[in-house]
Amino acid sequence: YRKFVEDQISAEDFEVSIKEAIGGSTANKYVAPMNDAEVLKEGKGEGTRENEFVRFKSNDSAVYSVAGGKVKNIVRIDDMKVVIVENSGMFYTYSNLGSTAIKTGDEVKANQLLGYAALDLDGNKPSVDFYVSNSAGNFILEKDFFAQRKDSKDADHSFDPGLNAPSIAIPQKQ
């Protein structure tokens, strides 16, 4: 088993690589894609099926990649964009982006800015749904698979559609 790592890696990521090599647990502790995110695991309870994604909500709408790789697809569905990043047969899907800072075919690094999340359905906070899958299907994700992102240098990317919209002069009625 060989694995090339281009940059320095944390002790946790090194341990994950060792466990993968010897057939142990491959569950990685990812850094959450949003700063100071509230991590929601929905779908548990009687009469519901377990969701194959974790939802992140934050006052800061900036969304970062949890793993490096190549951008395979960016799909627009109504006012939402879905970004899929592929790395060694694993697919990382970010749903509910309002805008993106990347394009299909780009190589991204872990912790690179992908774009900005749109508001969730209740309109309170920006949110992103995050899926991890391979060719066999999606993995059931848990909240404890993620470490809190607290990146002070990139703080406060709060999204306000009014502020980010193009400036257009609207004639006033006389």
Side-chain angles (χ1 to χ4, degrees):
Y1 179 87
R2 291 183 186 181
K3 181 173 183 175
F4 176 77
V5 178
E6 188 173 322
D7 205 353
Q8 294 182 9
I9 63 172
S10 68
E12 293 83 14
D13 288 340
F14 180 71
E15 185 175 332
V16 168
S17 293
I18 296 296
K19 286 182 179 179
E20 286 176 2
I22 61 174
S25 170
T26 60
N28 195 352
K29 188 100 173 175
Y30 296 114
V31 177
M34 298 173 80
N35 287 326
D36 296 318
E38 174 186 2
V39 185
L40 305 174
K41 176 66 179 172
E42 299 173 352
K44 287 189 174 185
E46 194 172 326
T48 63
R49 77 176 187 89
E50 191 169 30
N51 285 341
E52 296 171 329
F53 66 90
V54 169
R55 176 167 291 148
F56 297 88
K57 287 187 177 189
S58 175
N59 289 321
D60 180 349
S61 66
V63 176
Y64 300 90
S65 58
V66 299
K70 187 172 188 171
V71 179
K72 297 302 278 186
N73 287 306
I74 299 178
V75 180
R76 185 184 178 114
I77 304 169
D78 294 327
D79 294 331
M80 170 186 76
K81 290 184 180 175
V82 177
V83 171
I84 301 174
V85 176
E86 190 266 337
N87 182 348
S88 302
M90 297 291 291
F91 296 89
Y92 302 89
T93 303
Y94 307 80
S95 180
N96 198 38
L97 294 175
S99 63
T100 58
I102 53 173
K103 62 185 181 308
T104 301
D106 283 354
E107 291 287 337
V108 297
K109 294 182 178 179
N111 299 316
Q112 180 177 331
L113 179 69
L114 294 180
Y116 297 91
L119 293 177
D120 60 8
L121 290 176
D122 62 16
N124 288 333
K125 289 184 177 181
S127 70
V128 69
D129 294 343
F130 178 69
Y131 302 76
V132 177
S133 59
N134 63 15
S135 59
N138 289 345
F139 294 98
I140 303 297
L141 297 174
E142 297 294 336
K143 292 194 298 189
D144 61 357
F145 288 4
F146 299 90
Q148 192 64 259
R149 173 183 293 281
K150 292 180 188 272
D151 195 344
S152 60
K153 70 179 174 48
D154 292 324
D156 195 17
H157 293 91
S158 300
F159 176 71
D160 180 343
L163 294 176
N164 292 335
S167 179
I168 299 173
I170 301 172
Q172 300 293 317
K173 287 187 176 184
Q174 298 293 335

